[in-house]
Amino acid sequence: MKALMLGLTLLVLLMPASAQQGGERGLDNVLELVRDMPVEQSLRQATASALRDAVPAGRASPEVAYRYVSLARDLPPAEATSALQTLRAGLEGGLLVDRLMNEALKGDAMSLPWDQIGGVLELRLAFLLAARSEIGELQLGVEVCPQTLRQATLEVGWAASDHVLQQESPDDVAGMTSRAAERLVRLRGAAPCPDTVDAVLEALTHELVGQIAARALAQKEN
Amino acid sequence: MRYKELDQLLHESLREERAEARDLLEGMEHTVTVKLASRLSGRPSWRKWWRMLSHPPLAMRGAVAVGIVLALAVGFLAGRMWGPGGFGFEETTGTMFAVAAPQAESVSVKGDFSAWEPVNLEDRGSGVWTAVIELPPGRYEYAFVVDGRWVGQDPVADEYVRSFGEYASVRYVEGDR
């Protein structure tokens, strides 16, 4: 009996900390959650397929996706559908979606209802997709690194939507542009391909940001 | 007294002493042999040692096993305490999150680095709650929760953002480059 007690004590002490805390989530855990979502099968399948592409490509991290899908799973079916549609649209749009999912988790951490969280997510998603479209149409003049271009696109779309959310008005294009430029300068210091960031920074004009905002708001209204 | 008479007296005297000591010397050889043998049995030869190690008694086997397990456990725990990523006494790397809240009962930080799950801060008696979190270079959004209250504006933040009507702080963690 004493030997058994000693063995159990040592097992607990020697067990890795990560195992004691439950460990990290993997893509399979996320897909399992998606499979059990109370939404239409076609949406489940499309989301799962998009996640299978995005996670290995570094466009979504399993830990954040797991938390987001867990949050969505606990919502009523209509809201769960909305949450999963937002994720699917971001993934299929080729975006880096961690920040989008984290925005929802932040709203949940503030104990906010989903309709409020979902409204902000829709606006964010619209700006990110608009930024991707507008920046994607530019001739940047350098050989771009795809992942850095995605990061730069995320920063521009996010900064513009930050400005709209804080000013509660999409009319201050100069303010949006200035905020986006600051974020790009920050990104430049950490991005693997600073030349790509420089190219986006050079192309960042009031006109470009105005087009992003107009496209985003038109998309949101549709 | 002549020498002849003296010699005779000496011989008689010695004969009497031998006769008196005979009882004491009886069994002396056996006693000495037994004592020497008992001393030698307390110091086993190398053969005896080898026999003991190659065929240890059951009690010794258990003691050796427990000793090895304890040595491994102590080594492992020491490695976790003082090795990289261990639960060391003073972290020297990572990003420090701190908030002064002397009256607070619980303080945590939530951020995108933890998928907005709370990470508890610790007050070591000064009223300043701290946590050090290893973060790779990047942009991190976070807020403190002090006794359940959202505290979004950290004085040392690089910038603030506001969505959902509440502020959150942003910290940029630089890389080596």
Side-chain angles (χ1 to χ4, degrees):
Chain A
M1 193 62 182
K2 281 180 183 171
L4 185 65
M5 292 293 287
L6 177 68
L8 286 174
T9 308
L10 286 173
L11 192 66
V12 171
L13 285 172
L14 299 177
M15 192 184 294
S18 59
Q20 291 176 44
Q21 289 161 6
E24 289 187 2
R25 310 293 181 182
L27 175 59
D28 288 344
N29 302 109
V30 183
L31 295 177
E32 201 174 317
L33 271 185
V34 171
R35 199 178 56 216
D36 295 339
M37 286 282 291
V39 300
E40 282 185 16
Q41 191 182 354
S42 59
L43 178 57
R44 288 201 303 262
Q45 287 175 342
T47 308
S49 171
L51 278 167
R52 277 192 208 97
D53 290 340
V55 170
R59 291 193 291 109
S61 64
E63 192 69 32
V64 180
Y66 186 88
R67 287 265 298 125
Y68 180 84
V69 178
S70 297
L71 168 66
R73 185 193 53 183
D74 295 338
L75 296 169
E79 294 178 336
T81 299
S82 156
L84 222 54
Q85 279 172 340
T86 303
L87 175 59
R88 174 193 172 181
L91 291 168
E92 290 181 347
L95 304 176
L96 302 174
V97 293
D98 275 2
R99 201 176 292 178
L100 197 63
M101 293 190 290
N102 262 312
E103 187 76 346
L105 297 175
K106 180 170 72 172
D108 184 53
M110 292 173 176
S111 307
L112 297 174
W114 180 260
D115 58 349
Q116 201 174 340
I117 296 171
V120 170
L121 281 198
E122 271 180 35
L123 181 85
R124 296 286 198 190
L125 177 65
F127 269 87
L128 295 181
L129 290 172
R132 188 216 55 190
S133 299
E134 293 293 333
I135 293 172
E137 289 170 9
L138 296 173
Q139 300 294 322
L140 291 173
V142 293
E143 195 174 332
V144 297
C145 299
Q147 190 71 354
T148 302
L149 185 61
R150 282 195 195 97
Q151 288 177 309
T153 303
L154 170 70
E155 291 302 345
V156 172
W158 203 263
S161 59
D162 264 348
H163 201 76
V164 172
L165 284 167
Q166 289 183 33
Q167 304 297 318
E168 296 175 352
S169 163
D171 298 332
D172 181 14
V173 175
M176 275 190 250
T177 309
S178 167
R179 192 183 288 249
E182 285 171 23
R183 300 277 173 86
L184 287 176
V185 169
R186 292 276 194 184
L187 175 64
R188 194 189 181 285
C193 301
D195 290 350
T196 300
V197 183
D198 284 342
V200 176
L201 201 48
E202 201 171 316
L204 192 75
T205 59
H206 291 183
E207 189 188 1
L208 176 69
V209 175
Q211 285 168 352
I212 290 171
R215 187 184 272 224
L217 295 172
Q219 192 172 325
K220 193 171 180 300
E221 281 170 14
N222 293 333
Chain B
M1 187 179 287
R2 294 184 181 178
Y3 285 112
K4 198 174 177 180
E5 289 173 358
L6 182 63
D7 188 49
Q8 194 174 349
L9 277 172
L10 281 172
H11 272 97
E12 280 174 7
S13 173
L14 283 171
R15 198 181 306 123
E16 283 170 12
E17 280 190 19
R18 273 204 302 272
E20 284 172 10
R22 189 174 296 140
D23 292 340
L24 293 173
L25 292 171
E26 192 88 40
M28 177 65 83
E29 187 180 345
H30 177 71
T31 307
V32 169
T33 308
V34 167
K35 282 194 174 178
L36 284 174
S38 72
R39 281 189 195 175
L40 283 174
S41 68
R43 292 189 212 159
S45 66
W46 66 270
R47 279 192 182 131
K48 205 167 183 179
W49 274 109
W50 175 248
R51 207 176 305 124
M52 200 183 296
L53 288 173
S54 55
H55 300 88
L58 198 59
M60 182 180 270
R61 283 183 209 177
V64 168
V66 169
I68 289 171
V69 169
L70 283 176
L72 284 173
V74 168
F76 183 87
L77 290 173
R80 284 187 65 179
M81 272 195 243
W82 292 295
F87 45 83
F89 300 110
E90 289 294 337
E91 293 281 358
T92 53
T93 59
T95 302
M96 164 83 82
F97 292 88
V99 59
Q103 306 299 322
E105 290 185 359
S106 74
V107 178
S108 62
V109 60
K110 293 181 175 183
D112 47 15
F113 45 77
S114 64
W116 293 90
E117 285 283 284
V119 176
N120 288 332
L121 273 65
E122 193 183 347
D123 174 16
R124 297 188 179 180
S126 60
V128 178
W129 298 70
T130 59
V132 178
I133 303 174
E134 293 286 347
L135 298 173
R139 174 190 187 274
Y140 297 97
E141 203 172 307
Y142 65 97
F144 295 111
V145 179
V146 180
D147 287 342
R149 189 169 48 87
W150 188 271
V151 180
Q153 289 180 291
D154 181 5
V156 302
D158 294 313
E159 64 181 57
Y160 304 111
V161 290
R162 195 181 66 192
S163 49
F164 307 116
E166 289 277 7
Y167 280 100
S169 298
V170 176
R171 190 92 65 92
Y172 289 91
V173 176
E174 301 286 335
D176 292 335
R177 51 186 292 248

